[in-house]
Amino acid sequence: MFDVLTIAALADELASRLVGGRIQRILQIDDATIGLEVYAEHQRSILVASADSRNPRLYLSTQRLSADPDRVTPLLLLLRKYARGGRVAAVQQPPLERIMRLSIAKPFYPDNRRKRDDAPTEDDETPSELVYTHLIVELMGRRSNIILTDDEGRILDAIKRVTPDMSRVRPILPGRPYVPPPPREDVVDPRHLTAGALHDLLRPAPPDEELAPLLVRHLAGFSPQMAREAVHRATGEADAPVHAVASRDGAAALAEAIKSVLAPLETGDWTPSVYLNEGRAVAFAAIPLDHLADAEVERFPTMSPAIERWLTLAGAPQPVAQAQRRDKLVAQIRSARERTAARLRSLEEERARGEEGERWRTMGELIYAYLASIEPGQTELQVDGLTIPLDPALSPSENAQAYFERYRKARSATENLPELIEATRTELAYLEQLETLAGFAEGMDQVEQVRQEWESYRDQRPDAPPGKRRRQSEPKRPKPLRTARGDLIFIGHNGRQNDLITFDIAGPDDTWLHARGLPGAHVIVRWAGPEDEEVLLQAAALAAYFSAGRNATSVEVDATARRYVRKIKGAGPGMVTYRNERTLNVRPAAPEDLGLA
């Protein structure tokens, strides 16, 4: 519901509240969320911006923020350098885009005399250079991001770095030029849409097709909520079909309704509202929603309190304490994962050194083969392009024996390395899975389940301190998503849940899915009938979304019958092997994006 109208209303609110204000504090609340404390006209405002894939948001909060002081990221350091102590110079929304741009001006002193971000005083006579940076908040579902650029449009950093492997069209990395999201070529600007042009636009559509989704596809910046409102204002029904406006008069009425929906973009006449049904929040909007006339409505003077009310009622935002608890857990797992990766590198280097032993054995054999040609005091032997160093104080036979001894020691030292390397690789893969799923944990229950799994792993480590093992609760059975046909889709949100849905809940003929070569969730489809390709692609999109490839434009996902999935002996929960798979290439999608929430 962060559509172009909501962001336009926010832009007006932020411009009136923040422009000219001084940024006093900058906090990174979690991996995807930052907070800015701005002091303007004797009033403190707290701006919250989040690029969370499932809950992107931007608003002025009434609650004082806190953050983990140990959390330091490159973006936070750059914001402290370029934004803290600076002033908000402008707030802008690109036309018909779900993007907010905050321009920040901060003085920098050439003599470096003032080390802190203090405001200038009357004693400051050294000329300063005013440096402009721009904080760009993109609220676009799973592709949401927060990007800091310099005044020339070069990216300084982003809260989500996007590599060329993740997006060939629009990588987002420090040093690259900022490129706005590419515009769709198959849409028209609804602000200049005439009745005749709208009639021509709708003419090819089937008469029984629902009108609102058609407007979303063809009108730039039009959200489903805006489309349903426009259709309701024109026809009296939000889900009216195309034939309801097939006539010239119908098209004219719809064009007028579209114009009325967009009118506040010009007038600034906003009506921020939250709509409730039996106490449950169903929508928020910057304009009146006539198609929700039967719902209870709460009005607000500006957009931010409406958003905050919606978030509170919907239970959407993670409490700060909970987010910090999750992020500390992720940091602990990441630290263990990095130590395991270092141990694997050490083992592989040791194996490489051990492979040199074969060369020493070969050298010893060649010395014996050419024993008669070696002169006393000779320092090397040249054979077939190979130079073999010789100790002139030893006889040829003793030199050969010295090389054989080095070979035997190397072989003995590396005898168990293949098994150790394989076990360490399996452990590393498990920690990568645990870290990924911990980062996706939502709600205290999911965080607690991952924490218990992490503590169980830690207690079983050889270097764990002696003591009583922690008791774990049984993994909670995840609630399945249900398709329109009645198929059930189960998603594992931690390793033990992955085991539960794969080996306890799923039947042998159910379909098992997992992102290929990436840590993430197991997904199970329990079919209500014959296997359906559309449902399979939806399940694959979910498997991609709940994997380390969440922010990629496409992810390969393997699917196979559950009977072909086996646990890896001695590995952590959720670690499996499988065969007879089929690989699907899909775009990651959240349950709500697929209509399965």
Side-chain angles (χ1 to χ4, degrees):
M1 281 169 278
F2 274 91
D3 55 28
V4 297
L5 296 180
T6 298
I7 294 173
L10 266 174
D12 288 351
E13 178 186 3
L14 299 186
S16 65
R17 288 276 299 273
L18 303 184
V19 170
R22 183 172 181 270
I23 300 173
Q24 294 182 306
R25 296 178 67 212
I26 300 173
L27 304 173
Q28 185 147 356
I29 299 167
D30 59 37
D31 287 342
T33 308
I34 62 170
L36 277 68
E37 187 177 286
V38 184
Y39 192 78
E41 297 182 358
H42 310 292
Q43 184 178 14
R44 180 181 288 104
S45 299
I46 299 172
L47 180 66
V48 175
S50 180
D52 183 89
S53 300
R54 301 189 69 179
N55 181 31
R57 55 201 183 274
L58 178 70
Y59 65 102
L60 293 176
S61 175
T62 59
Q63 299 179 1
R64 192 169 183 86
L65 304 180
S66 63
D68 183 355
D70 295 331
R71 181 195 301 278
V72 179
T73 65
L75 178 63
L76 180 61
L77 292 175
L78 286 167
L79 284 170
R80 287 174 176 173
K81 177 179 179 180
Y82 289 105
R84 190 174 63 184
R87 294 189 179 274
V88 179
V91 178
Q92 297 171 314
Q93 176 200 23
L96 300 181
E97 293 286 356
R98 291 177 293 166
I99 298 173
M100 190 79 80
R101 177 188 176 106
L102 277 74
S103 298
I104 300 164
K106 179 177 177 178
F108 280 79
Y109 290 77
D111 66 355
N112 204 27
R113 177 163 50 86
R114 292 194 302 115
K115 303 292 184 183
R116 299 179 57 194
D117 296 314
D118 298 325
T121 67
E122 295 179 357
D123 296 331
D124 284 321
E125 299 176 356
T126 305
S128 63
E129 176 189 3
L130 205 58
V131 175
Y132 284 85
T133 52
H134 307 276
L135 189 64
I136 300 168
V137 183
E138 300 178 345
L139 300 168
M140 302 183 298
R142 68 181 183 85
R143 292 184 294 276
S144 298
N145 211 335
I146 301 172
I147 304 166
L148 182 67
T149 73
D150 62 18
D151 205 28
E152 296 177 353
R154 187 175 67 252
I155 296 172
L156 297 175
D157 213 334
I159 210 160
K160 295 179 185 176
R161 294 184 179 181
V162 181
T163 66
D165 289 338
M166 297 165 66
S167 174
R168 296 186 301 273
V169 177
R170 191 172 175 249
I172 299 173
L173 293 169
R176 286 181 175 262
Y178 172 77
V179 178
R184 289 168 51 194
E185 297 179 356
D186 57 343
V187 296
V188 297
D189 189 333
R191 297 171 298 177
H192 311 301
L193 189 64
T194 63
L198 182 59
H199 184 267
D200 293 341
L201 188 69
L202 299 177
R203 190 184 314 170
D208 293 332
E209 183 175 351
E210 190 176 344
L211 187 54
L214 197 64
L215 296 183
V216 174
R217 290 199 299 271
H218 291 294
L219 302 185
F222 241 63
S223 67
Q225 183 168 277
M226 293 166 61
R228 290 175 63 81
E229 179 60 22
V231 171
H232 183 273
R233 292 185 184 186
T235 68
E237 297 179 2
D239 56 357
V242 171
H243 67 71
V245 294
S247 66
R248 291 275 177 183
D249 289 344
L254 181 56
E256 190 61 31
I258 291 171
K259 182 179 178 181
S260 70
V261 167
L262 297 173
L265 291 175
E266 298 294 332
T267 65
D269 186 16
W270 304 108
T271 311
S273 310
V274 173
Y275 293 84
L276 303 93
N277 185 359
E278 297 180 353
R280 182 176 64 88
V282 294
F284 71 87
I287 61 172
L289 298 179
D290 295 345
H291 72 278
L292 295 179
D294 293 338
E296 179 187 351
V297 60
E298 296 180 4
R299 306 286 189 196
F300 297 87
T302 56
M303 200 67 237
S304 286
I307 295 170
E308 194 167 36
R309 174 65 170 157
W310 157 264
L311 292 171
T312 301
L313 290 171
Q318 300 242 11
V320 172
Q322 175 184 314
Q324 291 176 356
R325 183 179 178 87
R326 178 196 62 197
D327 294 339
K328 284 185 176 180
L329 175 61
V330 171
Q332 290 174 346
I333 299 170
R334 181 181 299 125
S335 178
R337 189 255 302 162
E338 290 171 349
R339 290 195 302 270
T340 305
R343 188 167 79 251
L344 178 61
R345 288 193 297 271
S346 177
L347 289 170
E348 289 175 336
E349 289 169 2
E350 188 175 344
R351 181 175 64 178
R353 289 192 299 268
E355 290 171 354
E356 288 290 307
E358 290 299 322
R359 293 181 68 249
W360 295 329
R361 181 179 63 82
T362 301
M363 289 178 177
E365 291 174 346
L366 287 172
I367 291 172
Y368 271 125
Y370 289 87
L371 203 62
S373 64
I374 301 175
E375 300 290 337
Q378 188 171 327
T379 59
E380 61 181 32
L381 173 65
Q382 298 280 348
V383 180
D384 298 332
L386 177 65
T387 300
I388 305 173
L390 300 174
D391 185 345
L394 300 178
S395 68
S397 178
E398 289 172 336
N399 270 293
Q401 287 300 321
Y403 278 113
F404 285 135
E405 182 63 22
R406 292 172 70 180
Y407 162 69
R408 283 191 292 271
K409 287 182 178 179
R411 184 177 180 182
S412 175
T414 60
E415 199 168 19
N416 297 323
L417 276 182
E419 294 81 3
L420 284 173
I421 288 173
E422 187 59 32
T424 306
R425 281 179 178 163
T426 301
E427 182 181 1
L428 180 60
Y430 170 68
L431 288 171
E432 288 172 345
Q433 171 190 274
L434 192 59
E435 181 185 352
T436 299
L437 295 177
F440 294 158
E442 295 181 348
M444 194 56 78
D445 279 349
Q446 286 189 17
V447 174
E448 180 64 17
Q449 289 276 311
V450 178
R451 184 191 63 78
Q452 288 188 13
E453 184 179 339
W454 158 246
E455 289 181 347
S456 175
Y457 160 82
R458 196 171 55 184
D459 289 347
Q460 296 174 31
R461 294 281 305 141
D463 55 356
K468 185 178 179 180
R469 290 187 58 183
R470 297 172 178 85
R471 184 177 179 182
Q472 294 191 69
S473 61
E474 290 298 316
K476 290 195 174 182
R477 181 187 178 101
K479 293 181 180 179
L481 304 173
R482 187 181 295 272
T483 68
R485 191 180 70 165
D487 309 290
L488 299 181
I489 301 177
F490 294 87
I491 302 169
H493 295 290
N494 54 68
R496 296 195 302 154
Q497 268 193 358
N498 280 343
D499 272 356
L500 176 68
I501 68 171
T502 300
F503 299 109
D504 293 343
I505 293 177
D509 295 325
D510 292 338
T511 298
W512 177 92
L513 302 99
H514 192 280
R516 185 179 183 87
L518 295 173
H522 295 196
V523 174
I524 291 290
V525 183
R526 176 174 289 175
W527 298 104
E531 184 173 310
D532 183 274
E533 185 70 13
E534 183 178 348
V535 173
L536 185 66
L537 290 172
Q538 286 182 325
L542 291 169
Y545 183 78
F546 289 100
S547 79
R550 172 176 287 192
N551 296 315
T553 53
S554 65
V555 173
E556 289 185 338
V557 174
D558 286 341
T560 188
R562 209 291 294 157
R563 67 164 66 90
Y564 299 124
V565 183
R566 295 287 183 271
K567 291 184 180 182
I568 298 177
K569 186 177 180 180
M575 303 305 294
V576 299
T577 60
Y578 54 92
R579 57 190 176 91
N580 294 350
E581 71 273 13
R582 169 189 174 194
T583 302
L584 307 166
N585 199 298
V586 296
R587 179 184 293 272
E592 54 267 29
D593 296 334
L594 300 171
L596 297 173

